[in-house]
Amino acid sequence: MSERNKKSNITEEIPNIHWADHVAEELIEKHPQKEKFVCASGISPSGVVHIGNFREAITVDFVVRALLDRNKAVRFLYSWDDYDAFRKVPANMPNQEMLQKHLRQPISLVPDPFGQYPSYAAHFEKRFEAEISQLGVKPDYIYQNIPYREGKYVQGIKDALAHEKEIIEILNRSRTEPLPDNWTCLSIFCKTCSKDTTELLKRESDTIFSYHCKVCKKDNTIDMSKEGGVKLLWRVDWPMRWAQEGVDFEPGGKDHSSQGGSYDTGVEIVKQVWKREAPTYVQYDFVIAKGAGAKLSSSSGNLLTLGETLEIYEPAIIRWIFASRKPNLDFAIAFDLDVIKAYDDFDRCERFAYGVEEGDEKKVRYERRIYEFSCVDRVFPRNYSNLPAQFSFRHLCNVLQIHQGDLEKAKEFYSGIIKTTEDEARFCCRAKRAWKWITEFAPEEFKFALQLQPSHRPQMVAPLKELIQLLKEDGVEKWTEETLATRTFEIMKRNQVEPKAFFQDVYRILVNKPNGPKLASFLLAIGPKRSSEILEKALSTNNG
Ligand SMILES: [Zn+2]
């Protein structure tokens, strides 16, 4: 069987090779009769939603896709826990004084300090939703303040209250100090000041509670069957919602995953109160930024956002960064020179997927599966007949610098490669990010400015003259990098000059620095004719 035939067979099967496939298989094994699975994630929009929060959503997205690939229906829930109390004003927020006044109110009730959205919660929710949709992640959003205020959880709260003693026992098992005698899993927002600074005085019935507010000093009663304002504390709220929504899979961060943490107690509470098994769980670890310097800290308080990552990385590459790592390993997203490596590795993964890059069958299958998870639009099985146009990030950075960031001129340079509108879209998507990276994050040694009026006086005149002649030869613009490099080395050999010294001489002319991008590739990127003109100018400076 030929190599090509072997490869085309791979697309026929559903691969069970990625961790998300393993989770999907486990879920199906656990619930063999189930046709529709519920996969959930969620966070409290208590401030800027960062890349670590995104990891939770993308972890679910991979499992959702693995289930869809197995012809299962899936509901992907994303819970905005915006009925949580506003506990702390983040230091990077404007209007600190205004926000201080709204502490302990539901986040969905706190005004937007930027004045753009109906609430503080909505501001961060909508920003993140817009970011995440660019990556093809489109869950069903639940804004928890709505079901809570509409009484959708009344039965769940009643169930929890009916089993409060058992809940306290479960929670105490993972505590050093037992919960105080007056502890309750209920949290009541005061009807006067909207804050959760209340203590329960008495349960008048299973839906009516009297309370005292420690802030406005008022006593009052609240009837949760008729009005909002009552919620469950996190450790009980979470398992209640697993039961209510029928959640089959939900990942959690480190903070929820420790022994005796909220997942552990949730497992027992959901079994005890709602007679149900907890969802299958995957722990995910932290994500940080590397090499971003102070650039990111001002807007997000040292937390990298998805929006900031999207300015440097293409959506598919962000998906790939997460898809190619196990969720329980922490890692850093690079903003330094390693950005180039990430782009190169992704391009390589794409070539593996299209059968262009050689590798053993297992490697190719794995890379192809990661590539499938990386694509913004889910298509399964995918047609791998034609590798799309690839633009090496490093090369693109050089071409852009030669043209001082002029995207149109850079596009002209690639006119031989850009053949379709898709190619053009791929070029633009990458080029604008490459230029952003050059101007804001690239280290100095990577940057250069082409010297159209060179000031350097060349030292090695004879080989330089030969190089100029070479760059004027017929058809040179069609040469490969290798051909030009070989011919350049012949010149150096003939003239008995050290390559290092000669290169330095040429780089000083071209970019006024002792080094630069790989010379042959660089001369072709500048254009042989244009390169020869610059070198000639330097020679005439030397003579004059
Ligand atoms: Zn009050």
Side-chain angles (χ1 to χ4, degrees):
M1 189 165 49
S2 78
E3 207 43 34
R4 187 154 293 279
N5 282 339
K6 247 195 261 167
K7 274 167 197 159
S8 62
N9 279 346
I10 296 170
T11 48
E12 308 298 322
E13 318 151 19
I14 302 165
N16 184 20
I17 199 164
H18 188 264
W19 64 262
D21 291 313
H22 300 157
V23 174
E25 292 284 337
E26 191 189 321
L27 284 167
I28 293 168
E29 205 171 296
K30 223 163 139 183
H31 314 280
Q33 304 304 323
K34 201 164 214 164
E35 280 311 312
K36 186 170 186 175
F37 287 84
V38 178
C39 299
S41 75
I43 68 147
S44 167
S46 53
V48 174
V49 184
H50 54 81
I51 196 91
N53 304 126
F54 168 69
R55 192 171 198 180
E56 171 158 322
I58 193 78
T59 299
V60 178
D61 190 73
F62 294 144
V63 173
V64 168
R65 285 199 182 186
L67 284 166
L68 290 173
D69 292 348
R70 287 164 174 77
N71 290 319
K72 298 293 173 190
V74 188
R75 185 167 184 225
F76 179 177
L77 288 181
Y78 195 94
S79 269
W80 285 114
D81 294 336
D82 54 11
Y83 212 45
D84 286 2
F86 185 44
R87 291 191 188 89
K88 194 175 158 233
V89 180
N92 57 334
M93 292 297 153
N95 283 310
Q96 292 271 324
E97 216 170 292
M98 176 279 284
L99 289 174
Q100 291 290 344
K101 286 183 198 148
H102 293 276
L103 281 172
R104 305 306 320 181
Q105 289 178 351
I107 314 172
S108 56
L109 217 63
V110 177
D112 177 10
F114 301 90
Q116 295 163 337
Y117 292 89
S119 73
Y120 182 97
H123 183 100
F124 299 108
E125 288 166 357
K126 296 301 161 198
R127 254 177 69 175
F128 186 67
E129 287 172 17
E131 290 170 353
I132 204 175
S133 72
Q134 294 177 56
L135 284 108
V137 183
K138 288 165 183 166
D140 286 348
Y141 292 104
I142 299 184
Y143 306 90
Q144 288 300 339
N145 79 88
I146 297 171
Y148 259 121
R149 286 190 295 110
E150 288 177 349
K152 200 182 156 204
Y153 297 140
V154 165
Q155 187 55 49
I157 300 173
K158 279 188 193 173
D159 294 340
L161 287 176
H163 294 86
E164 203 172 39
K165 270 205 182 109
E166 293 103 295
I167 290 173
I168 291 171
E169 255 173 53
I170 291 167
L171 294 179
N172 276 342
R173 264 182 250 147
S174 56
R175 296 174 58 90
T176 40
E177 293 267 307
L179 291 164
D181 289 341
N182 63 348
W183 187 88
T184 172
C185 59
L186 278 188
S187 171
I188 298 169
F189 288 107
C190 168
K191 283 160 84 168
T192 309
C193 70
S194 304
K195 301 188 178 210
D196 72 344
T197 48
T198 58
E199 52 190 0
L200 178 67
L201 297 176
K202 199 177 165 215
R203 289 196 217 163
E204 311 285 349
S205 75
D206 60 355
T207 63
I208 301 174
F209 315 107
S210 59
Y211 68 85
H212 169 73
C213 177
K214 287 176 269 187
V215 168
C216 65
K217 311 287 178 207
K218 292 217 167 58
D219 289 356
N220 211 335
T221 58
I222 191 162
D223 182 352
M224 72 169 172
S225 66
K226 297 199 176 75
E227 58 199 325
V230 179
K231 77 183 291 279
L232 291 171
L233 293 180
W234 163 246
R235 281 191 183 240
V236 188
D237 174 57
W238 200 20
M240 184 272 286
R241 288 192 274 130
W242 290 342
Q244 181 111 2
E245 309 291 354
V247 179
D248 299 301
F249 172 73
E250 181 163 356
K254 256 183 171 173
D255 44 342
H256 298 319
S257 311
S258 57
Q259 211 186 359
S262 52
Y263 178 74
D264 271 6
T265 56
V267 169
E268 291 190 60
I269 292 171
V270 79
K271 201 184 286 173
Q272 183 75 41
V273 181
W274 290 281
K275 318 294 176 225
R276 189 190 183 280
E277 218 182 304
T280 297
Y281 188 75
V282 164
Q283 184 202 319
Y284 62 87
D285 216 315
F286 298 125
V287 184
I288 53 163
K290 172 172 92 83
K295 297 263 166 52
L296 302 172
S297 57
S298 54
S299 62
S300 52
N302 278 323
L303 294 170
L304 175 65
T305 67
L306 186 55
E308 288 163 327
T309 314
L310 272 166
E311 290 188 349
I312 300 301
Y313 287 102
E314 294 168 9
I317 300 189
I318 299 180
R319 291 187 64 99
W320 171 83
I321 287 172
F322 286 87
S324 57
R325 288 169 169 91
K326 292 213 168 86
N328 61 347
L329 297 175
D330 62 356
F331 68 91
I333 293 187
F335 283 76
D336 53 14
L337 267 182
D338 282 345
V339 169
I340 298 174
K341 188 181 179 319
Y343 271 86
D344 286 350
D345 288 349
F346 171 78
D347 288 350
R348 193 156 169 263
C349 172
E350 186 168 66
R351 291 195 300 274
F352 267 123
Y354 279 86
V356 175
E357 190 93 23
E358 296 285 319
D360 67 66
E361 188 171 321
K362 197 179 170 200
K363 168 84 175 159
V364 173
R365 279 168 59 97
Y366 184 62
E367 293 288 333
R368 179 170 285 182
R369 190 62 177 145
I370 289 176
Y371 183 73
E372 281 162 356
F373 283 119
S374 307
C375 294
V376 170
D377 298 314
R378 177 184 164 269
V379 181
F380 184 82
R382 199 163 275 271
N383 172 13
Y384 286 106
S385 51
N386 289 311
L387 178 73
Q390 292 192 332
F391 304 90
S392 147
F393 191 79
R394 180 189 289 274
H395 191 262
L396 187 52
C397 285
N398 291 336
V399 172
L400 282 165
Q401 289 191 88
I402 288 165
H403 298 291
Q404 285 138 6
D406 188 325
L407 251 64
E408 283 306 312
K409 283 197 175 142
K411 197 158 83 184
E412 248 167 62
F413 175 82
Y414 289 104
S415 57
I417 301 174
I418 301 174
K419 298 216 162 70
T420 63
T421 45
E422 197 211 333
D423 294 343
E424 193 181 345
R426 281 170 69 95
F427 169 82
C428 293
C429 178
R430 188 164 289 196
K432 67 178 186 195
R433 291 178 167 88
W435 187 245
K436 175 94 179 167
W437 180 71
I438 290 285
T439 49
E440 292 191 18
F441 297 101
E444 280 311 311
E445 71 261 25
F446 191 81
K447 295 196 224 177
F448 64 81
L450 188 62
Q451 306 292 300
L452 298 174
Q453 305 296 336
S455 56
H456 174 69
R457 283 169 168 260
Q459 310 294 306
M460 301 181 180
V461 175
L464 189 62
K465 280 185 173 163
E466 281 195 45
L467 179 61
I468 292 167
Q469 283 316 307
L470 185 67
L471 292 168
K472 286 177 169 175
E473 273 189 30
D474 278 346
V476 62
E477 60 285 334
K478 295 207 173 72
W479 286 4
T480 63
E481 204 181 305
E482 288 72 31
T483 309
L484 183 56
T486 310
R487 297 286 302 270
T488 310
F489 271 98
E490 284 167 12
I491 293 173
M492 291 187 280
K493 212 171 165 194
R494 246 195 323 274
N495 289 275
Q496 294 178 325
V497 290
E498 275 290 318
K500 198 184 165 199
F502 182 62
F503 283 146
Q504 277 200 10
D505 211 23
V506 177
Y507 285 128
R508 283 191 196 280
I509 298 169
L510 294 174
V511 293
N512 203 20
K513 283 164 84 171
N515 45 47
K518 241 169 120 191
L519 190 63
S521 154
F522 192 39
L523 292 170
L524 290 173
I526 297 168
K529 185 168 174 280
R530 201 164 168 217
S531 304
S532 67
E533 283 164 8
I534 296 171
L535 298 176
E536 264 175 342
K537 262 187 202 163
L539 267 186
S540 65
T541 316
N542 196 35
N543 296 338

